[in-house]
Amino acid sequence: MRIYRSPHNPLIQTKDIVPSRGDFEVIGVFNAGVTRLGDEVIMLLRVAERPINSNAQKLLTAVYDFVSDEFAIKEFSLDNQDNDYTDPRLIITPRQTYLTSISHLRLARSKDGIYFDIEDKPSILPANKYETFGLEDPRITLIDDTFYISYVGVCPFGITTCLISTQDFTSFHHHGVIFCPDNKDVVLFPEKIEGKYYALHRPASTLFQKQHIWIAESADLYCWGNHRNLMAPRGGYWDENKIGAGAVPLKIEQGWLEIYHGVDKNNIYSLGAVLLDNTEPWKIIARSEQPILQPETDYERLGFFGNVVFSCGLILEDDKLGIYYGAADTSICYAELSLDQIMQNLKPIV
Amino acid sequence: MRIYRSPHNPLIQTKDIVPSRGDFEVIGVFNAGVTRLGDEVIMLLRVAERPINSNAQKLLTAVYDFVSDEFAIKEFSLDNQDNDYTDPRLIITPRQTYLTSISHLRLARSKDGIYFDIEDKPSILPANKYETFGLEDPRITLIDDTFYISYVGVCPFGITTCLISTQDFTSFHHHGVIFCPDNKDVVLFPEKIEGKYYALHRPASTLFQKQHIWIAESADLYCWGNHRNLMAPRGGYWDENKIGAGAVPLKIEQGWLEIYHGVDKNNIYSLGAVLLDNTEPWKIIARSEQPILQPETDYERLGFFGNVVFSCGLILEDDKLGIYYGAADTSICYAELSLDQIMQNLKPIV
């Protein structure tokens, strides 16, 4: 598929971000929630940091201590044979798995959707025991006049999805954990459908080692039930290993359009689309057989975790879909394609 | 602790259960939900079955096919080196994990709480795609005049907890999946606390390999949110490996009393107690340092899965707690102790 990538890519890089502390360095800015506020495009960036480290034999990471409300520096010896450092995102010790970075959310604003003013300080930092390993991958859903931010909270006992609401991106309201461990890639539909709110979510089955997309319903956005299995990875496809919802579902004439990510057997993260029924969103009408965006450029193939394109937000303008996406867990990029292109890419599910 | 075990133990054994089909055998009857209805004690038994098998080289299990509404027999060769049969409950193949048995729920009634009339036929059989590997471990909570049955539904893409309601144990109302994968050991509190329903649940973190007890709240019993981490296994204790709620929480003068199970490092399942705050049940007042019941007798130590005592229900009569429990995943037993005994066993959490 011919997809337009902005010549300004990456739009936002680590060098553009002021670290939250003098002794931290920013190792990634990616997976941003996106919305409009007034005449601006607003992004909530995921900013991943780690302590500055001059010792090549050590690995340092930071953990938020909710009791003292401070960050503690954790030190790991790279010589320690008991620890597994294979995945650049993880430190797996016999007693506990840690993350190699800790993320917070940072506000950025733009008039043209390309050049962003990025705040110097974090907007939302870890604040409780569910966020001691950080906040990740926000999605922003505007419902009436309130923005609902569903984001991943990581802590030693699980990966949860939490909810924050705001009307101005200045004061934020915390609503606690809305999906219990392990659950991520939660997107809230932007309006009630036949009287109920819906969310896509991605729980994990420990026993069966499955990571499918499910759909849940709610009366109030805080409590969720009637969980239904919506879609599974597909053997032999670009999304055969893992899938998860991406941007907030988009209401179009033909139904609800969801841009989701799929991971193939080589651990390559691509984006595709699925079309859900207008009034019964637990029914799939069509799904991409080929990805709409896959890692091709250097900035998508090389980075902290290479071969990743991952979207948490997009902007629709007339027939044009502007996709903001994290590239290689390192930077934020932008691509455009038309709704027509996506619809042609979809294969009806019979 | 001196605990009274019924001399009639096991109260219910596999030989007491008529198989649901002529070609099935019952391999366990255990983990029963318990309640009172009129002047009777009602139990919903978990009945585990497998196809009768005369071939010692094969292992047979049954899977419910929700499309045809029939059971399919799955055959596994014990010679197949690719499969892992180490856990007697599981068949782990490279592509999919299966259970070695499939469970349904069966009604039993008693006037004295010891001799039970057991129905000849299943009361609740697998009925949808979340139950193709069976229904397990029901808990019964009476709220107003309705019995709510939270039970585990197992299927190839996860372990969920589902909800059924009934007023007479004759007609049953299905409310779908209330906790998404993997989540089991869900017990609903029997009344609203300060305007909200609460449930204990036991999600699993795949990444961090943690299985803690969490508490969630709800306005309607169907949708759940504000998930809070309640309690963790304790290193060096009887509950160091895994924990999960057992019986429905009991309102006593001092707070909410929960009988839960803990698994130690030798995979021994015991029962202990935890006392939660009356009006803020996410706060722990006291917890058993020693189990109140642990496998000691032959019927608890030997069986389909030995060294297990596991309760899904109890009956309080004055100061006497009658605990029904599954023994060795094979039979149903009964023990009694006084509330005083339990309270003395509890160690305050400071």
Side-chain angles (χ1 to χ4, degrees), chain A residues 29-289:
Chain A
V29 49
F30 52 116
N31 301 0
V34 183
T35 191
R36 283 182 193 283
L37 176 59
D39 62 348
E40 292 185 316
V41 175
I42 294 277
M43 282 213 278
L44 262 182
L45 316 173
R46 172 178 171 191
V47 174
E49 297 178 300
R50 71 180 168 206
I52 294 171
N53 178 9
S54 57
N55 185 338
Q57 305 312 115
K58 302 276 185 195
L59 201 152
L60 301 186
T61 194
V63 175
Y64 172 69
D65 179 346
F66 66 96
V67 178
S68 64
D69 189 26
E70 285 176 354
F71 289 88
I73 310 300
K74 286 262 176 194
E75 191 177 298
F76 302 88
S77 167
L78 288 170
D79 299 331
N80 189 337
Q81 302 291 321
D82 293 338
N83 297 345
D84 178 352
Y85 303 107
T86 320
D87 188 320
R89 300 168 297 190
L90 301 177
I91 301 157
I92 304 172
T93 80
R95 293 183 74 90
Q96 177 68 47
T97 292
Y98 295 87
L99 307 190
T100 51
S101 65
I102 185 164
S103 295
H104 65 261
L105 308 183
R106 182 94 54 119
L107 200 65
R109 299 162 178 277
S110 174
K111 295 279 184 204
D112 65 1
I114 296 297
Y115 294 98
F116 281 84
D117 285 327
I118 304 164
E119 304 220 331
D120 282 349
K121 294 191 185 313
S123 305
I124 310 177
L125 276 165
N128 58 53
K129 68 176 175 177
Y130 305 105
E131 302 169 356
T132 59
F133 287 178
L135 291 77
E136 304 180 352
D137 304 351
R139 276 85 171 185
I140 306 169
T141 302
L142 175 61
I143 301 176
D144 302 326
D145 60 349
T146 302
F147 298 94
Y148 290 90
I149 305 160
S150 56
Y151 64 95
V152 173
V154 190
C155 74
F157 37 86
I159 298 167
T160 67
T161 293
C162 308
L163 187 68
I164 280 178
S165 64
T166 183
Q167 292 183 302
D168 52 14
F169 288 93
T170 305
S171 68
F172 298 96
H173 222 79
H174 289 255
H175 304 289
V177 175
I178 57 170
F179 287 92
C180 65
D182 276 353
N183 208 320
K184 47 169 44 182
D185 300 325
V186 173
V187 297
L188 311 180
F189 286 65
E191 60 185 67
K192 281 189 175 178
I193 301 166
E194 312 263 310
K196 288 172 184 165
Y197 291 114
Y198 287 87
L200 304 180
H201 60 109
R202 212 283 305 279
S205 171
T206 300
L207 181 63
F208 296 112
Q209 294 174 49
K210 299 283 168 67
Q211 306 201 354
H212 293 189
I213 296 177
W214 290 60
I215 186 167
E217 60 184 53
S218 174
D220 57 12
L221 298 167
Y222 311 125
C223 291
W224 295 90
N226 198 16
H227 301 276
R228 286 184 265 205
N229 188 271
L230 180 68
M231 55 195 272
R234 295 172 296 186
Y237 284 78
W238 61 277
D239 54 0
E240 78 172 301
N241 207 14
K242 226 163 52 168
I243 52 173
V248 169
L250 211 54
K251 192 177 189 177
I252 60 172
E253 196 192 326
Q254 299 89 337
W256 290 97
L257 183 67
E258 170 61 23
I259 304 298
Y260 72 98
H261 67 267
V263 185
D264 75 5
K265 59 178 182 231
N266 298 315
N267 230 10
I268 294 171
Y269 284 66
S270 303
L271 296 179
V274 62
L275 185 68
L276 308 176
D277 187 84
N278 244 316
T279 55
E280 298 177 314
W282 56 91
K283 292 184 179 166
I284 296 175
I285 298 172
R287 184 170 170 183
S288 297
E289 289 219 319

Side-chain angles (χ1 to χ4, degrees), chain B residues 290-330:
Chain B
Q290 301 295 328
I292 57 173
L293 180 65
Q294 58 195 123
E296 283 172 16
T297 65
D298 277 357
Y299 53 81
E300 292 160 351
R301 292 193 303 110
L302 309 171
F304 177 69
F305 194 83
N307 285 311
V308 172
V309 295
F310 187 106
S311 178
C312 292
L314 49 77
I315 296 281
L316 180 68
E317 207 180 311
D318 302 325
D319 179 50
K320 189 190 76 188
L321 207 63
I323 298 178
Y324 294 89
Y325 63 97
D329 280 12
T330 301

Side-chain angles (χ1 to χ4, degrees), chain B residues 269-305:
Chain B
Y269 284 65
S270 303
L271 296 179
V274 62
L275 185 68
L276 307 176
D277 187 83
N278 243 317
T279 54
E280 298 177 315
W282 57 90
K283 293 185 178 165
I284 297 175
I285 299 172
R287 185 169 170 185
S288 298
E289 289 219 318
Q290 301 295 328
I292 57 173
L293 180 65
Q294 58 195 123
E296 283 172 16
T297 65
D298 277 357
Y299 53 81
E300 292 160 351
R301 292 193 303 110
L302 309 171
F304 177 69
F305 194 83

